[in-house]
Amino acid sequence: MITQSFLSGIEEPNPPVQNQASDNTVPQKEPLKHLLIGSSKAVTSTIHYLQVIGYAQVGDWSPLLPSPNPGEVMSILNRPLVVQ
């Protein structure tokens, strides 16, 4: 990391020290599964809303699958989550 003094000709008496521990850590990705269960209309509407807010694309979700409960469907999104 390079810092620049805005006062030309003045040296920093104590230059910043980098934290070596944080420079060597690599964020790990862990799988995260989202499951939507509800009426076909509610699940589809939620999937489209999550696309509108930029969370997940419609095509990232599984097709609507029948739920064990009558009249309900489900859809699954597998997404890696960065964990530090």
Side-chain angles (χ1 to χ4, degrees):
M1 175 184 209
I2 299 173
T3 60
Q4 177 182 0
S5 175
F6 290 102
L7 302 172
S8 62
I10 297 177
E11 295 292 322
E12 287 186 65
N14 297 316
V17 177
Q18 292 183 0
N19 183 349
Q20 293 178 352
S22 66
D23 291 343
N24 294 334
T25 59
V26 177
Q28 299 294 318
K29 289 186 178 181
E30 293 185 16
L32 179 65
K33 296 178 178 97
H34 300 279
L35 178 61
L36 296 177
I37 301 174
S39 70
S40 176
K41 184 176 180 178
V43 171
T44 302
S45 176
T46 302
I47 289 171
H48 284 99
Y49 174 72
L50 291 171
Q51 177 170 312
V52 168
I53 65 170
Y55 187 74
Q57 298 295 311
V58 170
D60 295 342
W61 291 87
S62 72
L64 297 181
L65 305 166
S67 162
N69 301 323
E72 288 186 342
V73 297
M74 58 185 170
S75 184
I76 302 168
L77 169 68
N78 288 316
R79 183 169 205 179
L81 176 71
V82 176
V83 179
Q84 296 185 6

